[in-house]
Amino acid sequence: MALAQNNYKDVLEAERKEQLQKKSAAEEAHKGLDKPAAERRRDQQACNGARTYYQAVCGSAHVPKSGSRQCAEADLWVRQSC
């Protein structure tokens, strides 16, 4: 009976170690994913173009016509460019 208990404990211990190794491998694979993406340089000409397009589509910054889909896309373009 004692031999069966020791064998059972050995099997459980081996399974636990195997699961820890799998978990460690998964954590290593996802290690760099929590870091933010590298900042890219701002292209001033693209930013100015996006702002001009935004004002043409949405109106001025003080009185936006933000209900349209084009305005929402222009806003996204400004956020990405600037």
Side-chain angles (χ1 to χ4, degrees):
M1 187 71 157
L3 181 61
Q5 285 180 343
N6 284 339
N7 192 17
Y8 182 70
K9 287 181 182 179
D10 292 340
V11 169
L12 287 177
E13 184 66 25
E15 286 180 4
R16 187 183 67 78
K17 285 182 181 179
E18 184 179 328
Q19 288 175 352
L20 282 175
Q21 287 176 347
K22 286 181 183 178
K23 183 178 177 182
S24 296
E27 287 175 354
E28 282 293 321
H30 295 285
K31 194 173 190 176
L33 296 178
D34 58 345
K35 296 179 184 175
E39 291 283 327
R40 57 186 167 131
R41 280 193 62 194
R42 186 173 115 175
D43 183 3
Q44 189 64 36
Q45 188 175 4
C47 183
N48 288 340
R51 286 185 178 147
T52 302
Y53 180 70
Y54 177 85
Q55 287 182 352
V57 172
C58 302
S60 71
H62 302 290
V63 187
K65 301 178 237 173
S66 59
S68 71
R69 180 177 175 183
Q70 282 183 322
C71 185
E73 290 174 351
D75 184 53
L76 180 64
W77 190 28
V78 168
R79 291 176 192 268
Q80 288 177 347
S81 298
C82 299

